[in-house]
Structure formats: C-alpha cells, structure tokens
Amino acid sequence: QEIRYCVNDVLVVSAYIKECMEQDHNDITKLPLTATGYCRNYVRKNCLVGDDKESQFKKYHEMIRHLTISGVDEYDQMNRAFAGGFTHCSCRHSGKTLYDVSSFDLISAYPAALCLEPVFPMSKGKVVPVTTYKELYNYCKLYCCIFDITFIDIKPRYINENYISVSKCIYKGSEDKWKKEKHVVTNNGRLVGADEITITLTDIDFEIICRTYKWEQIKIGTFRIYKRGYLPREIIMSILHLYKNKTELKGVDGKEDFYTKSKQLLNACYGMCVTSIIMPVHTFDNEHGWTVEHKDAEKEIKRYNKSKKRFLFYAWGIFCTAVVRKTIFSGILAFGDDYIYSDTDSIKAINADKYLNFIKAYNRMIERKIHLVSKHYNIPVDYFIPKTIKGVPKMLGIFENETEKGNWKMFKSLGAKRYMVLTCDDKLTITVSGVNKKHAVPYLLKKYGIQGSFEAFKNELTIPAEYTGKLTHYYLDDKMQGEVTDYLGKTITYTCMSGIYLEKASYKFSIESEYLDYLRSLRGVLV
C-alpha cells in the first residue's frame, strides 16, 4: 500500500506535466512552475501579440519602456512602500462573544482595483524636494507618490482600529536620543502611538493616515512622484476575460476544472505585478551541496528595464493593495464602534442595518467608475458585469453581503486570523492559521458544545495533536542505520542518507502579553 502511494504520487504529477505539454504545445523546459507563471504568459501574450503582432508589440513596448526603475535606491523604496491586505480585529471587540454579526465582501477586490482605478504610476519616478505641507498635499493630490516620512508624537484619532503596521516602520522610538524609555504603544502588530516613527508610504497610505492619526510634526525624506493613470487597456481586458470565465463557470457541472483554472489565473493577476525583480539563486551539486548566489542588484534592475518581454511595472502592485486598504478603512470608519473585524477584502460588523447606506453609496460609486473606464477605453459595460449560470449579474468590485441569507448568530475573535463563527444554520466553524477546521471543530463540539466552544475559545486553549491537522517537520540530515521489524515479524536492516520525520502537533492559543496589557488598559478607559 505504501509503495503504491509513492508510485501513484509520481505518476499523477507526470501525467499532469504531459497534459500541460500537449495543451501548450511546449517542451518541459517551457512550462511555468506556478499559477502566476501561467497568468503572466497569458497576459503577456495579450499585451505583446495582437491581430497585428508587429504593430501591437511596438505600441505596447513603446509605452512600457518608459516605465523604468532608476536604480537600487528606488527599488528599495518601492519595497518598503509595499504592504499587503489589512487584516485585524477591533480592539473594542477582541476576545468578546458577539451576536447577530454581518459580513461584507468585496467581489474580486484586487482585480477590481487593477481595472477600475486611475491611480497607477504611468511614468518614471522623479525625485522632488518637499519642504512645506502645501507642497506635500499638492503632490499627493496630483501624482502617485512614494516617500519616506517621519512622524513625531503621533497619536490615534480613533480607538477601535489602527492602520500603521509596526513591522513596516523603519524606525520607531523616541525623538530624544538621550531618553531612556522609547514610548511606543502597539495593538496586535498595529501602531497606536509613538514619540517618533519613520516609514515609507504611498500617497494613498498618507491619505488614510491623515484620517486616522494626528501628530505634532513631520519630516519628509526622499519623495518620488509618478504620473497617475489607468493601467493599459490590454491588461484590463485580460483581467475582465478571466473574471467573466470565473463568474460564468462557477457551479456549472462538468466545468469544475475550467472554473478552478480561471479562478487561479484571476487571483494571480495581482501576484504577477509584485513578483520581486531581484531573487537569489539556490543551487545544489554533489560536491558543494546547497549554495546561494546573491545577484548584482544594479545589473538585475538594468536587465529588467531593458527586457523586451517585460509588460509589467513593479510599482503597479504597490498601489493595487493600497487602493483596497483604503476601501476597507473607509468601511471601518463608516461602521465606527460597530466594526468588529477585517480581512483583506471583507468587513464584519454588528448593527449592520444602520450602515447599509454606506454599502449602497460605495456600490453606486463603483458603478460610476465602471462607466468612466468603459468610456476611457471603449470597453462595453457588460464586460464588468458578467452573469452566473442562474442569470445573476456579478458587478466587479462592489460590496456583497456574505450573510444575506442570515446573519451569523455568534462571532468571536482573538486577533488577526483567529476567529470562530456560528452561522445562521447553526454550523460552527473556525479560521485559525495553523489549525485545520475539519479536524478541530468536531473536537471542540464534542468536548465543549456550541456555547462552551465560544467560552473555551480564548488564551491558553489547547487543541490536541490528533485534532489540529497540523504536522511538525523534523529534518534529518545525517546518515541513519538500524533494524525494523514489520507486522509479519520480518526484520530488515535499513540505511537512510537523510529524511523528514512528520509528527502530529498540538496547537496552543497564546496571545502576546503586550497585546493583553493593551486590551486591559483600553477596557479600563472604555468603562
């Protein structure tokens, strides 16, 4: 049985490789290694190869060759400015069991941002001096901006949520170098306030920070501006085609594979925009083992700029995530004290009926944006609103009520990526990084019941190894020898040059003491 498993494990992959080679008419060396690679090939073909291949290539390449990175300093600043989705739990509600909870999801948030927003860098970066508030705000109003900034004595405007990620701060501490204690207050990885921080931002991030923080003084470092605009029409059309396929194929019998492929390609559209330009090369040979080669950064950037196969600009992905964070924070501020939790493209809240006007207004704004980009590029509006197999229109980018069939009866979160839900049809589910819900939920129900599970879901809760679905890997690099006897009593001698041992692992919920202290102090203020 074990040998059959090992053999079939290889045969399945071999068969899939053969199928891909036949479909793509390529040899094995030309096959992409990731879903992002397939997406990149698909969109590149649409950008560089049209009805008139030579004309299309010349037109697009003429545009993209002006979108270059000046050197390592600019690339490093772009990397510092890049951040992912906003995922966090409101400190007002962390650790509390809440009832009658609603959840609103953005439909294909990142693809929508790439298609609908005229906020992407469409020129080379230009370093400009910024010495006044007026210059700062004017540049942020008119251009895409990436800049280093220091905030002195920064404090929150709101208690329920904090935007700045502590890990993104280049420096955090005290303005006074002789001060022994550095005053920094954090909220589960998010900055509440500090004597001083230095961080790299986009103009979109700065807009959010202006709405959510106040400060005594700022200092501006290197400030780069870029012309602002829509992404190229070819890229938008590629994304819309994938979104149409995903929408129309969902739930169609016999089309499951095509649906999955379209969904993967659509999700990879954002990922291909932020793939690192400079990657180390890991090499293995029998003489030296594993070695790591760090490439010359300047040479790699020059090669990136000159590549005739390039159809993307690294800065686009940075602004894609920033746009979605702005949308999520608009929702957080609109829901106020009733906001509970956010996760990249969704917001969860209580008393949601009070805020439906915000949802409707946002969706109307998305509809207007669709008409604007439709007019700008002469793209039919229907392309942005494909229909499901049941004829239901799915407008790209709008907020959709995930709990439309019935609000969640109960909800509890212990922080980012840790929450428990009781749905309207009495199904208990958990979302915890490192725990398989299919294994953990039956254990919790059996031991605690529904109500008891919410009470047990707290700091120090331990889920036994056999119920987490989690495996700990032990890497055995040394040669090992010994004897083993099978169930028939037959003993053999084995020799293993190396191996990996997998052991079931338990999971213990632990909350950082700093976060617990902050919650306790905050609850005292709120009371």
Side-chain angles (χ1 to χ4, degrees), residues 111-331:
L114 294 170
C115 288
L116 305 181
E117 302 291 347
V119 298
F120 294 96
M122 295 304 293
S123 73
K124 291 180 181 178
K126 179 183 178 183
V127 177
V128 295
V130 175
T131 56
T132 66
Y133 271 105
K134 186 176 180 180
E135 288 175 341
L136 170 62
Y137 288 115
N138 281 342
Y139 279 127
C140 286
K141 183 179 179 180
L142 299 173
Y143 295 93
C144 290
C145 306
I146 297 177
F147 55 97
D148 300 328
I149 184 170
T150 297
F151 293 94
I152 295 171
D153 194 15
I154 186 169
K155 298 175 182 176
R157 293 181 184 271
Y158 304 97
I159 291 177
N160 65 330
E161 193 55 279
N162 308 108
Y163 177 72
I164 296 174
S165 175
V166 176
S167 65
K168 299 301 292 184
C169 296
I170 305 166
Y171 171 81
K172 52 187 181 294
S174 171
E175 179 187 7
D176 185 352
K177 293 180 181 178
W178 302 105
K179 202 171 182 179
K180 291 183 179 180
E181 292 186 6
K182 295 181 177 181
H183 181 61
V184 179
V185 180
T186 63
N187 167 19
N188 195 209
R190 299 286 164 177
L191 183 83
V192 179
D195 289 337
E196 179 182 343
I197 63 163
T198 300
I199 192 170
T200 304
L201 303 173
T202 67
D203 55 283
I204 299 171
D205 293 309
F206 184 65
E207 181 185 345
I208 302 169
I209 290 172
C210 286
R211 296 179 67 187
T212 55
Y213 291 89
K214 52 189 176 181
W215 53 85
E216 287 296 320
Q217 185 183 353
I218 59 171
K219 299 175 184 177
I220 302 296
T222 304
F223 198 105
R224 285 186 169 86
I225 61 172
Y226 307 77
K227 289 182 181 179
R228 184 184 282 165
Y230 288 111
L231 289 184
R233 186 180 190 275
E234 293 83 358
I235 289 180
I236 292 175
M237 290 298 292
S238 299
I239 295 171
L240 291 177
H241 176 71
L242 294 173
Y243 177 63
K244 180 175 183 288
N245 285 350
K246 174 200 166 188
T247 304
E248 293 180 349
L249 292 171
K250 187 174 182 179
V252 179
D253 291 338
K255 298 290 184 179
E256 292 83 4
D257 288 346
F258 294 102
Y259 166 74
T260 301
K261 188 172 183 179
S262 293
K263 185 177 179 180
Q264 288 173 343
L265 289 173
L266 180 66
N267 293 339
C269 287
Y270 150 70
M272 69 180 181
C273 293
V274 289
T275 302
S276 295
I277 297 170
I278 306 166
M279 297 286 284
V281 177
H282 298 263
T283 307
F284 179 85
D285 62 47
N286 291 330
E287 185 177 347
H288 301 101
W290 284 103
T291 56
V292 181
E293 176 192 352
H294 294 282
K295 295 189 174 182
D296 184 291
E298 287 288 357
K299 286 183 180 179
E300 288 302 302
I301 290 171
K302 286 180 181 177
R303 190 173 75 168
Y304 168 84
N305 289 336
K306 293 179 179 179
S307 173
K308 291 188 176 182
K309 289 185 177 181
R310 183 168 68 88
F311 65 100
L312 296 169
F313 187 35
Y314 182 71
W316 291 346
I318 298 168
F319 283 80
C320 174
T321 54
V323 166
V324 177
R325 289 195 300 274
K326 179 182 175 182
T327 297
I328 292 299
F329 244 83
S330 297

Side-chain angles (χ1 to χ4, degrees), residues 97-102 340 349-351 407-411 451 454:
T97 299
L98 302 165
Y99 303 88
D100 199 24
V101 173
S102 300
I340 298 172
I350 52 176
N351 303 317
N407 286 349
W408 293 335
K409 292 182 178 180
M410 300 170 72
F411 178 93
Q451 189 69 39
F454 278 88

